[in-house]
Amino acid sequence: MARITVTVNGVRYEHDVPPRLPLAYYLRDVLGLTGTHVGCDTSSCGACTVLMDGKAVKSCTVLAVQADGSSITTVEGLAAPGSLHPVQEAFWEEHGLQCGFCTPGMIMAAVQLLDRNPSPTDDEIRRGLEGNLCRCTGYHNIVRAVKSAAAKLQSQAAD
Ligand code: FES
Ligand code: FES
């Protein structure tokens, strides 16, 4: 076992974990944060995307021990309980999901995308989310949701 200290959604945790435990399973099984989904376990689908020190990572292929000392944000930590982050709100309003399995990872990837490029074109959105697969939507509404989120975030910044 290895002792790790991580801050997840603003809360500091210390745990002894198996050295090969993936971060996704630490979040889901140890912390009970099941909003982070595991679709492939091989870094292909993006359902497990979380932010590690502000950078989107596929948590199925990061070990929990590699997250030692870092700050993690999962989909549960994007907004205060009972409220939605503008990207979550936009996915809701623009029907950017069907089954919802890919959605947490898609939202976390979109948050990073908009952080780096606050006003992306459709092409830039598609390229920015290419590591995240969706089997249901055909991506059109996801792109619309990200554009809508960009507008929301820009109007928030202007206030
Ligand atoms: S579960 Fe991590 S990329 Fe698919
Ligand atoms: S909404 Fe079902 S996989 Fe994307």
Side-chain angles (χ1 to χ4, degrees), residues 26-98:
Y26 173 72
L27 296 169
R28 289 179 57 85
D29 300 340
V30 179
L31 302 188
L33 295 170
T34 54
T36 299
H37 291 167
V38 176
C40 68
D41 249 338
T42 55
S43 200
S44 305
C45 74
C48 64
T49 305
V50 299
L51 301 181
M52 185 162 130
D53 293 330
K55 183 168 176 283
V57 296
K58 292 180 175 175
S59 63
C60 70
T61 41
V62 174
L63 297 174
V65 293
Q66 293 175 300
D68 184 32
S70 70
S71 178
I72 306 288
T73 306
T74 70
V75 72
E76 291 94 338
L78 279 180
S83 59
L84 295 177
H85 183 279
V87 176
Q88 292 172 307
E89 204 173 65
F91 270 71
W92 170 273
E93 290 167 356
E94 300 296 333
H95 309 289
L97 60 129
Q98 286 180 26

Side-chain angles (χ1 to χ4, degrees), residues 11 16 26 95-96 115 117 133 137 139:
V11 180
D16 291 319
Y26 173 72
H95 309 289
D115 192 40
N117 180 357
L133 304 182
T137 64
Y139 300 98

Side-chain angles (χ1 to χ4, degrees), residues 116-129:
R116 293 180 173 179
N117 180 357
S119 188
T121 63
D122 286 17
D123 270 3
E124 287 168 338
I125 293 170
R126 286 177 188 276
R127 252 182 289 126
L129 297 180

